[in-house]
Amino acid sequence: MLLNERKIKILDAIIKDYIATAEPIGSRTIAKKFDFGVSSATIRNEMSDLEEMGYIVQPHLSSGRVPSDKGYRYYVDTMMKQKELDEAQFAFLKELIAGNINQIDYLMKETAKALAFMTNYTTVVTEPKLDKTRIRNLQLVSVDEHNILIILVTDAKVVKQMTLTVETPLGFNELTEISFVLGTSFSGASYESFTPEFCESVEKKLGRYGYMLEPIVGAVLNTIISESNTDVYTSGVKNLLSFPEFSDMDKARTILNALDEKQTLISLISKEDGETVQIVIGEENEVAHLRDCSIIKANYSLGGQSYGSIGVIGPTRMDYPRVVSVLKGMVKNINKILDNNKPKQAP
Amino acid sequence: MLLNERKIKILDAIIKDYIATAEPIGSRTIAKKFDFGVSSATIRNEMSDLEEMGYIVQPHLSSGRVPSDKGYRYYVDTMMKQKELDEAQFAFLKELIAGNINQIDYLMKETAKALAFMTNYTTVVTEPKLDKTRIRNLQLVSVDEHNILIILVTDAKVVKQMTLTVETPLGFNELTEISFVLGTSFSGASYESFTPEFCESVEKKLGRYGYMLEPIVGAVLNTIISESNTDVYTSGVKNLLSFPEFSDMDKARTILNALDEKQTLISLISKEDGETVQIVIGEENEVAHLRDCSIIKANYSLGGQSYGSIGVIGPTRMDYPRVVSVLKGMVKNINKILDNNKPKQAP
DNA sequence: GTTAGCACTCGCGAACGCCGAGTGCTAACA
DNA sequence: TGTTAGCACTCGGCGTTCGCGAGTGCTAAC
């Protein structure tokens, strides 16, 4: 059986109403609330069909209908109109993230916060994946006699710091010398650049400080490739508590626990490349504890290359169109900020 | 009326039982559970007195008694035996924070996490207050043509970074030169050191880069004095949800909201100098939304000078002795780590 | 001062019954 | 053939009632 136009309209009404009220809705209420020009009995028949097809379900035998995951999926895939944020809304969003956007941690934190504020759901943002960036600068700063801070500047303004403990103290001049060699040698390098040959050549350039190369490259590569070093920023976790579907404490606790694990979050919102916004609904979700949630996620990027992810987590009864448009706006904003920071090509 | 020994014993029993079970306790249960050698009727009389004196209250007319804030206060002030963590426990605690403790943000984050893990309450840790630290090093790192990263290293391994936007691009050599002058001039300086005379002398040393001093000093001082730049690390917020006193969603939400505000947290756990652990019970609390909570807090320090605070937030029905001992252990641990990092005096 | 006894209180959970929103089915209608 | 009115039926939610039990205060006797 195919969905005829009236069935689609009714499904639409059910979904919209349920997103707004979180209450099961019955045929009579639909007939009254929305004007289809048919009686409740007709709607009842259609709803019976819709249920048989799996788009809606009845929580209890004698109660109204509620959209199923399949229903949301159909809604999202074929019925939902995607709208972009209008000028004013985009400007407002930009305003929200107006501080020191030159520091990546600030930018990420504020993005997560703004997104949570605008959607009223929980948001997650991952820092740019370093293995896709290029090193722009690397410098050593003395912390104390035996500890050196490695400052790593990459494309897309990601600044990472690591500390290194050394046996032999190094003075300002010595660190400067090493910094200069490393900064110039590594500039433009990416993860793949660190071949044995490359390292050897840099080691030569370092002269008597050649012994420093190994620990530094070790620390840098470790930072670049290790996923556990990717910072994840969450915001609005408490927003979830206001939804009636999570008013059961145990359920709420389970979800909050799941959202507390960095690894879970990363796997949750990371996605393959591609421009599009991806929507994961309820049971489609791989994280078992979040089977009552939907996730809407997208990648931000620089020059077509995906850098990191940004996602919104809410109940399956989510305001999909709104979140999609806000998310798109947010990605646009990050991309713009990162792009402004990109080294300009010589004319 | 004074508290005789038996009354104290009974109060102790009520508090210990309530901390463990969160259930009001009656005279008969006390008589059965604890062996006082008197009948429930006697205990009943004593409890009646204790209630009259305000140490315990009756939630409902026909139910057992529960400690009041005044009761907890008495318990904490005069009855509670403070015990230190034993060797093994302290070693365990040290183990928990074994990673890269050279970076202050990591240290703070891990401390908060470990404390939450060991107490099962919510914990808050503030970063060292910069106006009490001394600058150890300051260096400039190029991010791109127009943006410079200022790396500020202070005592107690606090590393802060700020970005500065400049009109005229500066090359590696130029930044190095400026870094050298600033690093050596500022070394050992504290907030009070920045007198006009001092700045003038540094400006002279900078020669043709003298114009850079003002924005840099501005950024540094701003970072040092602005409280909003103090980072606050929270952990275990969800722990609160498991307590029956917060099983009411609205209450839980209110508390989570309060704990979301950085400013609230700072004022909540900051305390005057002094070695001792401070305990704030229920209504004594200044934050209205946390009137059902108790806060146990302490300062960590370096050479007698308080740097930052560390606190535990839980229901008034908190395991005070345990939290106090864990908190003391944690402070001892931070102090030790910070102290190891202190520049050694020349012998 | 301590205790046993007793009448009284009251929160809580179980049992019960009603209301209303909702359903499916059938028969009549356009 | 699709639509509608009518009707019997279902069942979750809610308010009421009621008994239980933990607890209390008071009194009188030890």
Side-chain angles (χ1 to χ4, degrees), chain B residues 255-329:
Chain B
I255 290 173
L256 293 202
N257 275 330
L259 294 182
D260 238 29
E261 285 165 38
K262 194 169 145 183
Q263 208 45 55
T264 307
L265 289 179
I266 291 181
S267 71
L268 201 67
I269 70 156
S270 64
K271 67 181 275 288
E272 338 69 67
D273 284 11
E275 279 271 311
T276 50
V277 168
Q278 190 185 336
I279 301 181
V280 180
I281 298 169
E283 295 284 337
E284 298 167 8
N285 199 324
E286 280 166 22
V287 181
H289 294 311
L290 299 177
R291 289 283 155 81
D292 290 322
C293 296
S294 283
I295 295 127
I296 306 187
K297 56 193 178 182
N299 284 349
Y300 59 88
S301 56
L302 180 54
Q305 177 75 279
S306 283
Y307 271 105
S309 314
I310 163 172
V312 178
I313 303 169
T316 48
R317 175 185 71 85
M318 211 175 180
D319 188 344
Y320 294 97
R322 168 154 180 84
V323 172
V324 168
S325 59
V326 173
L327 194 62
K328 276 186 177 171

Coordinates of all heavy atoms in Angstrom, one line a residue, chain B residues 255-329:
Chain B
I255 N 18.7 22.8 40.8 CA 20.1 22.7 41.2 C 21.1 22.6 40.1 O 22.1 23.2 40.1 CB 20.2 21.4 42.2 CG1 19.5 21.7 43.5 CG2 21.7 21.1 42.4 CD1 19.4 20.5 44.4
L256 N 20.8 21.8 39.1 CA 21.7 21.7 37.9 C 21.8 23.0 37.3 O 22.9 23.4 36.8 CB 21.1 20.7 36.9 CG 21.1 19.2 37.3 CD1 21.1 18.3 36.1 CD2 22.3 18.9 38.2
N257 N 20.8 23.8 37.2 CA 20.9 25.1 36.7 C 21.8 26.0 37.4 O 22.7 26.7 36.9 CB 19.5 25.8 36.6 CG 18.7 25.4 35.4 OD1 19.3 25.1 34.3 ND2 17.4 25.4 35.5
A258 N 21.7 25.9 38.8 CA 22.6 26.7 39.6 C 24.0 26.3 39.4 O 24.9 27.2 39.3 CB 22.2 26.6 41.1
L259 N 24.2 25.0 39.2 CA 25.6 24.5 39.1 C 26.2 24.8 37.7 O 27.3 24.5 37.4 CB 25.7 23.0 39.4 CG 25.4 22.6 40.8 CD1 25.5 21.1 40.9 CD2 26.3 23.3 41.8
D260 N 25.3 25.3 36.8 CA 25.8 25.6 35.5 C 26.4 27.0 35.4 O 27.0 27.3 34.4 CB 24.6 25.6 34.5 CG 24.8 24.6 33.4 OD1 25.5 23.6 33.7 OD2 24.3 24.7 32.3
E261 N 26.2 27.8 36.4 CA 26.7 29.2 36.3 C 28.0 29.3 37.0 O 28.2 29.1 38.2 CB 25.7 30.1 37.0 CG 24.5 30.4 36.1 CD 23.4 31.0 37.0 OE1 23.7 31.9 37.8 OE2 22.2 30.7 36.8
K262 N 29.0 29.6 36.2 CA 30.3 29.7 36.6 C 30.5 30.6 37.8 O 31.1 30.3 38.8 CB 31.2 30.2 35.4 CG 32.6 30.1 35.6 CD 33.3 30.4 34.2 CE 34.6 31.0 34.4 NZ 35.2 31.4 33.1
Q263 N 29.8 31.8 37.7 CA 30.0 32.8 38.7 C 29.5 32.2 40.1 O 30.1 32.4 41.1 CB 29.2 34.1 38.3 CG 29.8 35.3 38.9 CD 31.3 35.4 38.9 OE1 31.9 35.2 37.8 NE2 32.0 35.5 40.0
T264 N 28.3 31.5 40.0 CA 27.8 30.9 41.2 C 28.8 30.0 41.8 O 29.0 30.0 43.0 CB 26.5 30.2 40.9 OG1 25.6 31.0 40.2 CG2 25.8 29.6 42.1
L265 N 29.3 29.1 41.0 CA 30.3 28.2 41.5 C 31.5 28.8 42.1 O 31.9 28.4 43.2 CB 30.8 27.3 40.3 CG 29.8 26.3 39.7 CD1 30.3 25.6 38.6 CD2 29.3 25.4 40.8
I266 N 32.0 29.8 41.5 CA 33.2 30.5 42.1 C 32.8 31.1 43.4 O 33.6 30.8 44.4 CB 33.6 31.7 41.1 CG1 34.2 31.1 39.8 CG2 34.7 32.5 41.8 CD1 34.7 32.1 38.9
S267 N 31.7 31.8 43.5 CA 31.4 32.4 44.8 C 31.1 31.3 45.8 O 31.3 31.4 47.0 CB 30.2 33.3 44.7 OG 29.1 32.6 44.5
L268 N 30.6 30.2 45.3 CA 30.2 29.1 46.2 C 31.4 28.4 46.9 O 31.4 28.1 48.1 CB 29.5 28.0 45.4 CG 28.6 27.0 46.1 CD1 27.4 27.8 46.7 CD2 28.2 25.9 45.2
I269 N 32.5 28.2 46.2 CA 33.5 27.4 46.8 C 34.8 28.3 47.1 O 35.7 27.8 47.7 CB 34.0 26.2 45.9 CG1 34.7 26.7 44.6 CG2 32.9 25.3 45.6 CD1 35.6 25.6 44.1
S270 N 34.7 29.6 46.8 CA 35.9 30.3 47.2 C 35.8 30.6 48.7 O 34.7 30.8 49.3 CB 36.0 31.6 46.4 OG 34.8 32.4 46.7
K271 N 36.9 30.7 49.4 CA 36.9 30.9 50.8 C 38.2 31.7 51.2 O 39.1 31.8 50.4 CB 36.8 29.6 51.6 CG 38.1 28.7 51.5 CD 37.9 27.4 52.2 CE 38.3 27.6 53.7 NZ 39.7 27.7 54.0
E272 N 38.1 32.3 52.3 CA 39.3 33.1 52.8 C 40.5 32.1 53.0 O 40.3 30.9 53.0 CB 39.1 33.8 54.1 CG 37.7 34.1 54.4 CD 36.9 32.9 54.8 OE1 37.2 32.3 55.8 OE2 36.0 32.5 54.0
D273 N 41.6 32.7 53.2 CA 42.8 31.9 53.4 C 42.6 31.0 54.7 O 41.7 31.2 55.4 CB 44.0 32.8 53.6 CG 44.5 33.3 52.3 OD1 43.7 33.2 51.3 OD2 45.6 33.9 52.2
G274 N 43.5 30.2 54.8 CA 43.5 29.3 56.0 C 43.5 27.9 55.6 O 43.0 27.5 54.6
E275 N 44.2 27.1 56.5 CA 44.4 25.7 56.2 C 43.1 24.9 56.2 O 43.0 24.0 55.5 CB 45.3 25.2 57.3 CG 46.8 25.5 57.0 CD 47.4 24.4 56.2 OE1 47.3 23.2 56.5 OE2 48.1 24.7 55.2
T276 N 42.2 25.3 57.1 CA 41.1 24.4 57.5 C 40.2 24.2 56.3 O 40.0 25.0 55.4 CB 40.3 25.0 58.6 OG1 40.1 26.3 58.3 CG2 41.1 24.9 59.9
V277 N 39.5 23.1 56.5 CA 38.4 22.7 55.6 C 37.2 23.4 56.1 O 36.9 23.5 57.3 CB 38.2 21.2 55.7 CG1 36.9 20.8 55.0 CG2 39.3 20.5 55.0
Q278 N 36.4 24.0 55.2 CA 35.2 24.8 55.7 C 33.9 24.0 55.3 O 33.9 23.5 54.1 CB 35.2 26.2 55.1 CG 34.1 27.1 55.7 CD 34.1 28.4 55.0 OE1 35.1 28.8 54.4 NE2 32.9 29.1 55.1
I279 N 33.0 24.0 56.2 CA 31.8 23.2 55.8 C 30.6 24.2 55.9 O 30.4 24.9 56.9 CB 31.5 22.1 56.8 CG1 32.7 21.1 56.8 CG2 30.3 21.3 56.5 CD1 32.6 19.9 57.7
V280 N 29.8 24.3 54.8 CA 28.6 25.1 54.8 C 27.4 24.2 54.7 O 27.3 23.4 53.8 CB 28.7 26.1 53.6 CG1 27.4 26.9 53.6 CG2 29.9 26.9 53.6
I281 N 26.5 24.3 55.6 CA 25.4 23.4 55.7 C 24.1 24.0 55.3 O 23.7 25.0 55.9 CB 25.3 22.8 57.1 CG1 26.6 22.0 57.4 CG2 24.1 21.9 57.2 CD1 26.7 21.6 58.9
G282 N 23.4 23.4 54.4 CA 22.0 23.8 54.0 C 21.8 25.3 54.0 O 22.3 26.0 53.1
E283 N 20.9 25.7 54.9 CA 20.5 27.1 54.8 C 21.6 28.2 55.0 O 21.4 29.3 54.7 CB 19.4 27.3 56.0 CG 18.1 26.6 55.8 CD 17.2 27.2 54.7 OE1 17.4 28.4 54.5 OE2 16.4 26.4 54.2
E284 N 22.7 27.7 55.5 CA 23.8 28.6 55.7 C 24.3 29.1 54.4 O 25.0 30.1 54.2 CB 25.0 27.9 56.4 CG 24.7 27.5 57.8 CD 25.7 26.5 58.4 OE1 26.8 26.3 57.7 OE2 25.5 26.0 59.4
N285 N 24.0 28.3 53.4 CA 24.4 28.6 52.0 C 23.8 29.9 51.5 O 22.6 30.2 51.6 CB 23.9 27.4 51.2 CG 24.7 27.3 49.9 OD1 25.0 28.3 49.3 ND2 24.9 26.1 49.4
E286 N 24.7 30.6 50.7 CA 24.2 31.9 50.2 C 23.4 31.8 48.9 O 22.6 32.6 48.5 CB 25.4 32.9 50.0 CG 25.8 33.5 51.3 CD 27.1 34.2 51.2 OE1 27.5 34.5 50.0 OE2 27.8 34.4 52.2
V287 N 23.7 30.7 48.2 CA 23.0 30.5 46.9 C 21.6 29.9 47.2 O 21.6 28.7 47.7 CB 23.8 29.6 46.0 CG1 23.1 29.4 44.7 CG2 25.2 30.2 45.7
A288 N 20.6 30.6 46.9 CA 19.3 30.2 47.3 C 18.9 28.8 46.8 O 18.2 28.0 47.5 CB 18.3 31.2 46.9
H289 N 19.2 28.5 45.6 CA 18.8 27.3 45.0 C 19.5 26.1 45.6 O 19.2 24.9 45.3 CB 19.1 27.3 43.5 CG 18.2 28.3 42.8 ND1 16.8 28.4 43.0 CD2 18.5 29.3 41.9 CE1 16.4 29.4 42.2 NE2 17.4 29.9 41.6
L290 N 20.5 26.3 46.4 CA 21.3 25.2 46.9 C 21.1 25.0 48.4 O 21.9 24.5 49.1 CB 22.8 25.3 46.6 CG 23.1 25.4 45.1 CD1 24.6 25.6 44.9 CD2 22.7 24.1 44.4
R291 N 19.9 25.4 48.8 CA 19.6 25.4 50.3 C 19.4 23.9 50.8 O 19.3 23.7 52.0 CB 18.3 26.2 50.6 CG 18.5 27.7 50.5 CD 19.2 28.3 51.6 NE 19.9 29.5 51.4 CZ 19.4 30.7 51.3 NH1 18.1 30.9 51.5 NH2 20.1 31.8 51.0
D292 N 19.3 23.0 49.9 CA 19.2 21.6 50.3 C 20.6 20.9 50.3 O 20.7 19.7 50.4 CB 18.2 20.9 49.4 CG 16.8 21.3 49.6 OD1 16.5 21.6 50.8 OD2 16.1 21.4 48.6
C293 N 21.6 21.7 50.0 CA 22.9 21.1 49.8 C 23.9 21.6 50.9 O 23.7 22.6 51.5 CB 23.5 21.5 48.4 SG 22.5 20.9 47.0
S294 N 24.9 20.8 51.1 CA 26.0 21.2 51.9 C 27.2 21.3 51.0 O 27.3 20.6 50.0 CB 26.3 20.2 53.0 OG 25.3 20.4 54.0
I295 N 28.1 22.2 51.4 CA 29.4 22.3 50.6 C 30.6 22.2 51.6 O 30.6 22.8 52.6 CB 29.4 23.7 49.9 CG1 28.3 23.8 48.9 CG2 30.8 24.0 49.3 CD1 27.4 25.0 49.1
I296 N 31.5 21.4 51.1 CA 32.7 21.2 51.9 C 33.8 21.7 51.0 O 34.0 21.3 49.9 CB 32.9 19.8 52.3 CG1 31.7 19.3 53.0 CG2 34.2 19.6 53.2 CD1 31.9 17.9 53.6
K297 N 34.6 22.7 51.5 CA 35.6 23.3 50.6 C 36.9 23.6 51.3 O 37.0 23.7 52.6 CB 35.0 24.6 50.0 CG 34.6 25.6 51.0 CD 33.8 26.7 50.4 CE 33.3 27.7 51.3 NZ 32.4 28.8 50.7
A298 N 38.0 23.7 50.5 CA 39.3 24.0 51.1 C 40.1 24.7 50.0 O 39.7 24.7 48.8 CB 40.0 22.7 51.5
N299 N 41.2 25.3 50.4 CA 42.0 26.0 49.5 C 43.3 25.1 49.3 O 43.8 24.5 50.2 CB 42.5 27.4 50.0 CG 41.3 28.4 49.8 OD1 40.3 28.1 49.2 ND2 41.5 29.5 50.4
Y300 N 43.8 25.1 48.1 CA 45.1 24.6 47.9 C 46.1 25.7 47.8 O 45.7 26.9 47.5 CB 45.2 23.6 46.7 CG 44.9 24.3 45.4 CD1 45.8 24.9 44.6 CD2 43.6 24.2 44.9 CE1 45.5 25.5 43.4 CE2 43.2 24.8 43.7 CZ 44.2 25.4 42.9 OH 43.9 26.0 41.7
S301 N 47.3 25.5 48.1 CA 48.2 26.6 48.2 C 49.6 26.3 47.9 O 50.0 25.1 47.6 CB 48.2 27.1 49.6 OG 48.5 26.1 50.5
L302 N 50.4 27.3 47.8 CA 51.9 27.1 47.5 C 52.6 28.0 48.4 O 52.4 29.2 48.4 CB 52.1 27.5 46.0 CG 53.5 27.3 45.5 CD1 54.1 26.0 45.8 CD2 53.6 27.6 44.0
G303 N 53.4 27.5 49.3 CA 54.2 28.3 50.2 C 53.3 29.1 51.1 O 53.5 30.3 51.3
G304 N 52.2 28.6 51.6 CA 51.3 29.3 52.5 C 50.3 30.2 51.8 O 49.4 30.7 52.5
Q305 N 50.6 30.5 50.6 CA 49.7 31.4 49.8 C 48.6 30.6 49.1 O 48.9 29.7 48.4 CB 50.6 32.1 48.8 CG 50.0 33.1 47.9 CD 49.6 34.4 48.5 OE1 48.6 34.4 49.2 NE2 50.4 35.4 48.4
S306 N 47.4 31.0 49.4 CA 46.3 30.3 48.8 C 46.2 30.6 47.3 O 46.3 31.8 46.9 CB 44.9 30.7 49.4 OG 44.8 30.0 50.7
Y307 N 46.0 29.6 46.5 CA 45.9 29.8 45.1 C 44.5 29.6 44.5 O 44.1 30.3 43.6 CB 46.9 28.9 44.4 CG 48.2 29.4 44.2 CD1 49.3 29.0 45.0 CD2 48.5 30.4 43.3 CE1 50.5 29.5 44.9 CE2 49.7 30.9 43.1 CZ 50.8 30.5 43.9 OH 52.0 31.0 43.8
G308 N 43.8 28.6 45.0 CA 42.5 28.3 44.4 C 41.8 27.4 45.3 O 42.3 27.0 46.4
S309 N 40.5 27.1 44.9 CA 39.7 26.4 45.9 C 39.2 25.1 45.2 O 39.2 24.9 44.0 CB 38.4 27.2 46.2 OG 38.8 28.5 46.5
I310 N 38.8 24.2 46.1 CA 38.4 22.9 45.7 C 37.2 22.5 46.6 O 37.3 22.7 47.8 CB 39.6 21.9 45.7 CG1 39.1 20.5 45.7 CG2 40.4 22.1 46.9 CD1 40.4 19.5 45.5
G311 N 36.1 22.1 46.1 CA 34.9 21.9 46.9 C 34.1 20.7 46.5 O 34.2 20.2 45.3
V312 N 33.3 20.2 47.4 CA 32.4 19.1 47.2 C 31.0 19.5 47.5 O 30.8 20.1 48.6 CB 32.8 17.9 48.0 CG1 31.8 16.7 47.8 CG2 34.2 17.4 47.7
I313 N 30.1 19.3 46.6 CA 28.7 19.7 46.9 C 27.8 18.4 46.9 O 27.9 17.6 46.0 CB 28.2 20.6 45.7 CG1 29.1 21.8 45.6 CG2 26.7 21.0 46.0 CD1 28.8 22.6 44.4
G314 N 27.0 18.3 48.0 CA 26.2 17.1 48.1 C 24.9 17.5 48.9 O 24.8 18.6 49.3
P315 N 24.1 16.5 49.1 CA 22.9 16.8 50.0 C 23.4 17.1 51.4 O 24.5 16.7 51.8 CB 22.1 15.5 49.9 CG 23.1 14.4 49.6 CD 24.1 15.1 48.7
T316 N 22.5 17.8 52.2 CA 23.0 18.1 53.6 C 23.2 16.7 54.3 O 24.1 16.7 55.1 CB 21.9 18.8 54.3 OG1 20.6 18.2 54.1 CG2 21.7 20.2 53.9
R317 N 22.5 15.7 53.9 CA 22.8 14.4 54.4 C 24.0 13.8 53.7 O 24.0 12.9 52.9 CB 21.6 13.5 54.0 CG 21.6 12.1 54.4 CD 20.4 11.4 53.8 NE 20.4 11.3 52.4 CZ 21.0 10.4 51.7 NH1 21.7 9.4 52.3 NH2 21.0 10.4 50.4
M318 N 25.1 14.4 54.0 CA 26.4 14.0 53.3 C 27.2 13.2 54.3 O 27.1 13.3 55.5 CB 27.0 15.4 53.0 CG 27.9 15.4 51.8 SD 28.4 17.1 51.7 CE 29.4 17.0 50.2
D319 N 28.1 12.5 53.7 CA 29.1 11.7 54.6 C 30.2 12.7 54.9 O 31.3 12.6 54.4 CB 29.6 10.5 53.8 CG 30.4 9.6 54.8 OD1 30.8 10.1 55.8 OD2 30.6 8.4 54.4
Y320 N 30.0 13.6 55.9 CA 30.9 14.6 56.2 C 32.3 14.1 56.5 O 33.3 14.5 55.9 CB 30.4 15.5 57.3 CG 29.2 16.3 56.9 CD1 27.9 15.8 57.3 CD2 29.3 17.5 56.3 CE1 26.8 16.6 56.9 CE2 28.2 18.2 55.9 CZ 26.9 17.8 56.2 OH 25.8 18.5 55.9
P321 N 32.5 13.1 57.4 CA 33.8 12.7 57.8 C 34.6 12.2 56.6 O 35.7 12.6 56.4 CB 33.6 11.6 58.8 CG 32.2 11.6 59.2 CD 31.4 12.4 58.2
R322 N 33.9 11.4 55.8 CA 34.7 10.8 54.6 C 35.1 11.9 53.6 O 36.2 12.0 53.2 CB 33.8 9.8 53.9 CG 34.3 9.5 52.5 CD 33.9 8.1 52.0 NE 34.6 7.9 50.7 CZ 35.8 7.4 50.6 NH1 36.5 7.1 51.6 NH2 36.3 7.3 49.4
V323 N 34.1 12.8 53.3 CA 34.4 13.9 52.4 C 35.6 14.8 52.9 O 36.5 15.1 52.1 CB 33.2 14.7 52.0 CG1 33.6 15.9 51.2 CG2 32.2 13.9 51.3
V324 N 35.5 15.1 54.2 CA 36.6 15.9 54.7 C 37.9 15.2 54.6 O 38.9 15.9 54.1 CB 36.3 16.2 56.2 CG1 37.5 16.8 56.9 CG2 35.1 17.2 56.4
S325 N 38.0 14.0 54.9 CA 39.3 13.3 54.8 C 39.8 13.2 53.3 O 40.9 13.4 53.0 CB 39.3 11.9 55.4 OG 38.3 11.1 54.8
V326 N 38.8 12.9 52.4 CA 39.2 12.8 51.0 C 39.7 14.2 50.5 O 40.7 14.3 49.8 CB 38.1 12.3 50.1 CG1 38.5 12.4 48.7 CG2 37.8 10.9 50.5
L327 N 38.9 15.2 50.9 CA 39.3 16.6 50.5 C 40.7 17.0 51.0 O 41.5 17.5 50.2 CB 38.2 17.5 51.0 CG 38.2 18.9 50.3 CD1 37.9 18.8 48.9 CD2 37.2 19.8 51.0
K328 N 40.9 16.7 52.2 CA 42.2 17.0 52.8 C 43.3 16.3 52.0 O 44.4 16.9 51.7 CB 42.3 16.5 54.2 CG 41.7 17.6 55.2 CD 42.0 17.1 56.6 CE 41.5 18.2 57.6 NZ 41.6 17.6 59.0
G329 N 43.1 15.0 51.7 CA 44.1 14.2 50.9 C 44.3 14.9 49.6 O 45.4 15.0 49.1

